[in-house]
Amino acid sequence: QGQLLAKSWSSLFEGQSGAALRGPIYSFNGRSILTDPLWPHRLAWHGSTPRGGHARRWDCQGWRSSGVAEGMATALGEGRLLAGHRHNCSTP
């Protein structure tokens, strides 16, 4: 019983970079990701292309803390779930 994030699972990945995110997003411990200082970068890590496919080179799979790999993540303030950019996999 929360706010509607998307009309359907498939609507998250349709159109230009997927669904527009609206409303608050909470971590599993109840913190608001968009306002809590614990989340300074406010990124949603997904490792996907803008159409929802697997971005094989940019998914942080196999990353180790000593590595310099990059993965696809979206700044939640952009409003599009898959409008990602490459970010260092070490970014918290």
Side-chain angles (χ1 to χ4, degrees):
Q1 293 253 1
Q3 282 190 306
L4 181 66
L5 180 61
K7 291 181 182 181
S8 68
W9 176 255
S10 62
S11 73
L12 286 172
F13 307 108
E14 292 175 349
Q16 188 175 19
S17 300
L21 300 175
R22 293 184 175 93
I25 299 173
Y26 296 100
S27 64
F28 288 106
N29 62 357
R31 294 177 180 262
S32 173
I33 293 172
L34 298 176
T35 60
D36 193 291
L38 183 65
W39 299 86
H41 298 288
R42 295 171 176 81
L43 297 173
W45 292 89
H46 51 73
S48 298
T49 65
R51 292 183 164 215
H54 182 198
R56 291 183 190 351
R57 287 184 63 192
W58 315 112
D59 65 2
C60 292
Q61 185 172 339
W63 168 83
R64 301 293 180 262
S65 61
S66 60
V68 293
E70 291 183 316
M72 296 300 285
T74 297
L76 293 171
E78 288 185 19
R80 291 286 179 180
L81 183 60
L82 298 180
H85 302 283
R86 293 188 319 227
H87 293 271
N88 186 295
C89 295
S90 297
T91 304

